[in-house]
RNA sequence: UCCUCCUUAGCUCAGUUGGUUAGAGCACAUGACUGUUAAUCAUGGGGUCCUUGGUUCAAGCCCAAGAGGGGGAGCCA
C-alpha cells in the first residue's frame, strides 16, 4: 500500500477543490487555538504559501492537537471548505490528524518569528523549512532548470567533465588534493618526495577548478556544449561572494568569436532571469518584500535605487553596456571619484587590474546597468585567451552585475598553436602535460569561445540574498563543512 | 590571509560612571477567550553575561590572549 496519496498545497491552491476529501501532509508553521477551534498553518514545501487546517477539539483529540506544534509533521485528512475567515479563500476541515513526526517545542529552534540569517546558517539542516530558504531553493531549482532548458533549446549538449583532474592547468587557484595514500606515512621516492606513482591514479590529482579545458575538447567535436557541475577552490577566501565548493556553468562553442560569445552570454542571462520572473512569482514577491525590509535598515547611500523585482526586470529588458578595458580605464581616470581621491586604489595608468570598487563604480554609479568589459591587458588574464592584433590585449570578457560584481568571465580562445605555446611558455604553463589540449590546435583547429558563470552568484542576484552562503543548501567555506 | 566591529535567556536585543537581587519583546508552560491570520489577554519557569587569565574592596562593563560570528579588502565565478 503506497503511503503518498496526498495532494500538494500548490495544487490545492491552483484549482477549485471545494467539497473534496483530501489528504495533506506537511510541517506545522503556526497553531492558533481557543476553546472551540484550532487553526494550524501547514506548509509542505511545494509553495511558499501555507494552507489552513481547521481542527475541532470534538473531532481531534487534545493529545494530537498538543503534539501538532510548530515544526511537527502532520498527515491531515479532511474536506476542503470555503473559509469563514478573511486570510484565505478555502481551508481544510480536519476529520483525522496523524502526527508523522513530533517537534518538541522546548528544543525545536525555529519559531514563527524572524530569525537572523547568521543564526539560521548555524542550523542549515533546519533552515530549509523557513519561508526565506524555501523561496531561495525553489528559485535556485528554477534557475538550474532554465539553464538546461536554454541550452537544450539552442542545440547545446550537456557534457559531464571530470571532477577529479590531474592538471591545475588554468591556474585558477589552490586545489584540493585527491589521494588514497596514507597521509601519516606516505610512500617516498629515493630523493625523499612523496611517491605519487604509488597513488590510486599513479599521479598527483586534485578536484577540478574548472571544466573549461575538457569543455573545449568536447566543443571541437560536438560544436556547442555546456558543463554544469561542481567546482572546488581551496582558497582562503572569506567573503559573501566565495565558496570552496560551488557550481559553475561553462558553455564552450566552436565557430564563435568574442562578439558571438558576448551575445550568447547576454541572451542567456536575460533568459534565465526572465524564466525565474515568470515561474517563481510567489517566491520572488516574498523575496522582494524581504529585501525591501532589509533596505530600510541600511544607510541611505548603500540602498538600492530599485527593488529586487524592478532590478530583475531592468536587467532582463535592457541592453548590457559593452566597453573595452581601455575605455573603462579612461572613464575611471576621469571620474570625480578618482579626481577627488575617493577610490582607495587610484586609477592612474593602463595595465592595472580593476579593483572591486572600480567595477562597482562602473556598474552602479556610471552606467547603472550590467556591463560587459572586454579586451583586457594580456598580463592580467589567463594563457588560453586569444591575443588581439594590438599585441597588448586579449579577447577576454567579464560581465559585471550590480551588487554581485563579476558574474561571468570568459573569452575567445587562442586557437593558433604557435601563439598559444609561446604564451604558455611565457606564463610557465607546462606544455608537455597539456599535450591533449594542444592537440586541438594541431588537428582541425577553429575559432571558438566560451565563458564561465558562477551559479551561486546568479542565484544571489535573482534572490537578492547578500551572502552566497545563503543560496546553497550546505555551504563549504574555510573551516566549515559540518552538514 | 589582512582591516574592522560584535558575542548578555531558545531567538532578537537593552544594560548608565565598575557597585549589592542582570532586564524587555518574542518563544515556551499554565489559564482565559465562539473563527484565528507571526491571534489576543493574564500568570509563570528560564542566565557558564563566549572562554581563560589579569586589574580592583568590587567586573556583564576595564586590560590581555584565545574561540566564534558579521562587514570590508585581496584571490575569483
Amino acid at each position: 500500500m503506497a503511503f503518498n496519496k496526498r495532494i500538494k498545497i500548490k495544487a490545492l491552491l491552483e484549482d477549485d477543490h471545494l467539497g473534496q476529501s483530501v489528504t495533506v501532509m506537511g510541517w506545522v508553521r503556526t497553531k492558533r487555538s481557543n476553546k472551540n477551534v484550532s487553526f494550524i498553518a501547514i506548509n509542505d514545501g511545494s509553495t511558499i504559501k501555507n494552507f489552513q487546517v481547521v481542527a475541532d477539539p470534538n473531532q481531534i483529540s487534545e493529545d494530537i492537537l498538543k503534539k501538532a506544534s510548530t515544526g511537527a509533521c502532520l498527515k491531515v485528512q479532511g474536506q476542503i471548505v470555503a473559509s469563514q475567515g478573511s486570510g484565505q479563500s478555502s481551508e481544510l476541515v480536519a476529520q483525522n490528524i496523524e502526527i508523522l513526526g513530533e517537534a518538541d517545542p522546548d528544543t525545536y529552534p525555529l519559531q514563527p518569528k524572524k530569525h537572523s540569517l547568521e543564526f539560521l546558517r548555524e542550523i542549515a539542516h533546519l533552515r530549509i523549512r523557513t519561508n526565506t530558504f524555501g523561496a531561495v531553493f525553489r528559485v535556485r531549482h528554477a534557475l538550474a532548470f532554465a539553464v538546461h532548458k536554454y541550452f537544450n533549446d539552442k542545440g547545446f549538449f550537456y557534457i559531464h567533465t571530470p571532477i577529479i583532474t590531474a592538471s591545475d592547468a588554468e591556474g585558477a587557484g589552490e586545489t584540493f588534493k585527491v589521494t588514497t595514500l596514507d597521509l601519516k606515512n606516505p610512500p617516498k621516492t629515493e630523493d625523499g618526495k612523496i611517491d605519487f606513482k604509488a597513488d590510486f591514479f599513479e599521479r598527483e590529482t586534485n578536484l577540478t577548478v574548472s571544466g573549461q579545458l575538457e569543455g573545449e575538447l568536447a566543443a571541437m567535436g560536438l560544436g556547442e556544449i555546456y558543463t554544469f557541475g561542481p567546482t572546488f577552490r581551496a582558497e582562503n577566501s572569506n567573503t559573501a561572494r566565495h565558496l570552496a565548493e560551488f557550481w559553475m556553468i561553462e558553455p564552450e562553442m566552436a565557430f564563435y568569436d568574442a562578439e558571438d560569445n558576448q551575445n550568447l552570454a547576454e541572451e542567456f542571462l536575460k533568459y534565465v532571469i526572465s524564466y525565474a520572473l515568470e515561474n517563481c512569482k510567489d517566491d520572488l514577491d516574498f523575496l522582494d518584500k524581504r529585501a525591501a525590509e532589509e533596505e530600510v535598515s541600511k544607510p541611505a547611500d548603500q540602498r538600492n535605487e530599485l527593488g529586487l523585482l524592478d532590478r530583475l526586470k531592468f536587467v532582463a529588458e535592457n541592453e548590457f553596456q559593452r566597453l573595452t578595458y581601455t575605455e573603462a580605464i579612461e572613464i575611471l581616470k576621469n571620474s570625480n571619484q578618482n579626481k577627488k581621491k575617493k577610490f582607495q586604489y587610484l586609477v592612474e595608468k593602463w595595465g592595472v587590474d580593476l579593483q572591486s570598487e572600480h567595477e562597482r563604480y562602473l556598474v552602479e554609479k556610471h552606467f547603472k546597468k550590467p556591463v560587459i568589459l572586454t579586451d583586457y591587458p594580456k598580463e592580467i588574464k589567463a594563457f588560453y585567451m586569444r591575443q588581439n592584433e594590438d599585441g597588448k590585449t586579449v579577447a577576454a570578457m567579464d560581465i559585471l552585475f550590480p551588487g554581485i560584481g563579476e558574474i561571468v568571465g570568459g573569452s575567445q580562445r587562442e586557437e593558433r598553436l604557435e601563439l598559444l605555446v609561446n604564451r604558455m611558455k611565457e606564463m610557465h604553463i607546462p606544455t608537455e602535460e597539456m599535450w591533449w589540449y594542444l592537440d586541438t590546435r594541431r588537428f582541425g583547429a577553429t575559432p571558438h569561445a566560451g565563458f564561465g558563470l558562477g551559479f551561486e552568484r546568479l542565484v544571489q542576484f535573482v534572490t537578492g540574498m547578500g551572502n552566497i552562503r545563503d543560496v546553497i543548501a550546505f555551504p563549504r567555506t574555510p573551516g566549515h563543512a559540518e552538514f
Side-chain angles (χ1 to χ4, degrees):
Chain A
M1 192 180 78
F3 178 69
N4 190 349
K5 273 211 159 182
R6 60 155 181 155
I7 184 165
K8 291 188 189 181
I9 289 170
K10 187 172 196 282
L12 216 42
L13 292 168
E14 273 166 4
D15 305 303
D16 182 10
H17 294 270
L18 285 182
Q20 291 180 10
S21 281
V22 299
T23 299
V24 169
M25 301 187 205
W27 294 269
V28 176
R29 285 296 175 76
T30 64
K31 181 179 63 179
R32 298 173 290 272
S33 301
N34 61 40
K35 213 192 295 184
N36 304 290
V37 65
S38 281
F39 301 96
I40 301 167
I42 193 170
N43 185 286
D44 67 1
S46 62
T47 162
I48 195 162
K49 290 177 179 162
N50 300 332
F51 204 76
Q52 175 154 288
V53 173
V54 183
D56 181 343
N58 296 318
Q59 179 74 27
I60 307 296
S61 78
E62 192 183 331
D63 179 55
I64 292 285
L65 282 176
K66 192 176 163 63
K67 284 176 180 166
S69 57
T70 299
C73 193
L74 309 186
K75 175 181 181 181
V76 184
Q77 292 165 294
Q79 198 173 37
I80 302 295
V81 302
S83 178
Q84 296 172 36
S86 57
Q88 56 283 314
S89 59
S90 63
E91 60 195 16
L92 174 59
V93 175
Q95 270 128 35
N96 186 46
I97 295 180
E98 188 183 330
I99 308 288
L100 298 176
E102 293 179 42
D104 179 2
D106 281 334
T107 50
Y108 183 64
L110 290 173
Q111 307 150 29
K113 62 164 271 187
K114 193 162 181 151
H115 291 285
S116 70
L117 294 174
E118 293 79 21
F119 170 69
L120 292 171
R121 224 170 275 154
E122 290 167 17
I123 50 166
H125 58 306
L126 297 173
R127 67 178 181 171
I128 304 172
R129 304 180 186 194
T130 64
N131 285 334
T132 297
F133 285 92
V136 165
F137 292 121
R138 278 185 296 269
V139 171
R140 183 181 167 116
H141 161 80
L143 286 168
F145 183 78
V147 167
H148 288 298
K149 182 163 166 49
Y150 174 80
F151 285 123
N152 180 66
D153 289 354
K154 236 180 148 58
F156 282 54
F157 298 106
Y158 178 28
I159 287 288
H160 298 95
T161 52
I163 310 283
I164 299 171
T165 62
S167 60
D168 172 22
E170 198 186 343
E174 293 294 308
T175 58
F176 290 100
K177 303 300 172 209
V178 175
T179 183
T180 55
L181 294 178
D182 180 3
L183 292 180
K184 287 183 191 128
N185 185 25
K188 298 275 177 67
T189 57
E190 282 175 9
D191 52 355
K193 289 181 179 159
I194 292 174
D195 183 11
F196 286 102
K197 277 277 175 213
D199 203 349
F200 186 91
F201 294 107
E202 300 181 10
R203 63 193 303 163
E204 207 173 339
T205 50
N206 45 261
L207 294 178
T208 182
V209 294
S210 165
Q212 180 199 317
L213 300 187
E214 289 93 348
E216 283 189 55
L217 311 184
M220 291 299 110
L222 290 164
E224 294 167 327
I225 65 94
Y226 70 105
T227 73
F228 188 172
T231 308
F232 308 89
R233 306 234 172 126
E235 314 229 295
N236 194 7
S237 295
N238 290 287
T239 79
R241 301 178 293 284
H242 287 87
L243 292 165
E245 176 183 288
F246 64 100
W247 289 70
M248 189 153 64
I249 296 144
E250 295 177 288
E252 198 67 40
M253 299 75 64
F255 321 120
Y256 269 53
D257 70 8
E259 193 181 337
D260 298 322
N261 200 31
Q262 292 159 32
N263 292 342
L264 180 80
E266 180 168 345
E267 183 185 77
F268 166 67
L269 282 166
K270 287 176 172 172
Y271 176 87
V272 295
I273 290 167
S274 301
Y275 185 91
L277 281 168
E278 282 163 29
N279 291 278
C280 305
K281 194 170 180 316
D282 293 341
D283 290 318
L284 288 176
D285 281 347
F286 174 83
L287 291 166
D288 184 59
K289 282 199 197 79
R290 188 184 180 288
E293 282 166 24
E294 289 227 318
E295 286 290 296
V296 176
S297 60
K298 284 189 195 164
D301 61 328
Q302 284 172 32
R303 286 183 201 162
N304 280 303
E305 287 179 29
L306 297 176
L308 176 63
L309 283 173
D310 291 335
R311 223 149 60 222
L312 297 179
K313 283 176 197 149
F314 183 87
V315 168
E317 287 163 11
N318 287 278
E319 298 244 311
F320 294 6
Q321 181 69 44
R322 302 187 189 189
L323 74 160
T324 65
Y325 167 90
T326 306
E327 289 164 339
I329 288 288
E330 283 308 306
I331 290 170
L332 289 166
K333 254 202 269 187
N334 296 321
S335 67
N336 279 333
Q337 295 266 325
N338 203 52
K339 286 177 179 162
K340 291 180 181 166
K341 306 202 169 175
K342 292 224 173 120
F343 283 136
Q344 200 184 335
Y345 297 89
L346 294 178
V347 179
E348 275 151 7
K349 63 173 196 294
W350 192 93
V352 297
D353 210 350
L354 298 180
Q355 305 289 318
S356 37
E357 59 177 343
H358 305 141
E359 296 179 349
R360 274 209 310 276
Y361 175 82
L362 288 171
V363 174
E364 291 162 23
K365 297 265 162 26
H366 190 81
F367 292 115
K368 302 192 178 192
K369 54 159 75 171
V371 168
I372 307 184
L373 263 178
T374 62
D375 303 296
Y376 282 73
K378 63 179 179 184
E379 283 76 18
I380 58 175
K381 287 292 177 183
F383 74 90
Y384 50 74
M385 295 190 179
R386 194 178 197 277
Q387 294 168 57
N388 289 330
E389 300 307 312
D390 60 15
K392 290 156 58 184
T393 60
V394 289
M397 80 163 168
D398 282 2
I399 301 185
L400 311 176
F401 263 32
I404 308 290
E406 185 179 344
I407 196 167
V408 161
S411 70
Q412 186 174 345
R413 317 306 189 189
E414 182 57 81
E415 83 281 9
R416 297 162 294 185
L417 180 63
E418 198 178 328
L419 286 165
L420 179 59
V421 169
N422 287 344
R423 194 76 193 119
M424 287 172 81
K425 284 180 177 156
E426 279 169 27
M427 296 176 81
H428 307 292
I429 310 281
T431 50
E432 310 77 41
E433 276 177 38
M434 303 274 292
W435 62 273
W436 45 270
Y437 183 68
L438 293 173
D439 260 8
T440 56
R441 276 64 172 173
R442 293 190 181 104
F443 308 123
T446 177
H448 65 290
F451 60 85
L453 170 88
F455 184 58
E456 280 77 15
R457 289 189 182 172
L458 173 68
V459 181
Q460 262 192 287
F461 180 73
V462 174
T463 59
M465 299 299 282
N467 196 312
I468 201 165
R469 294 164 200 190
D470 297 328
V471 298
I472 187 166
F474 305 108
R476 298 289 180 255
T477 55
H480 293 283
E482 51 264 73
F483 297 103

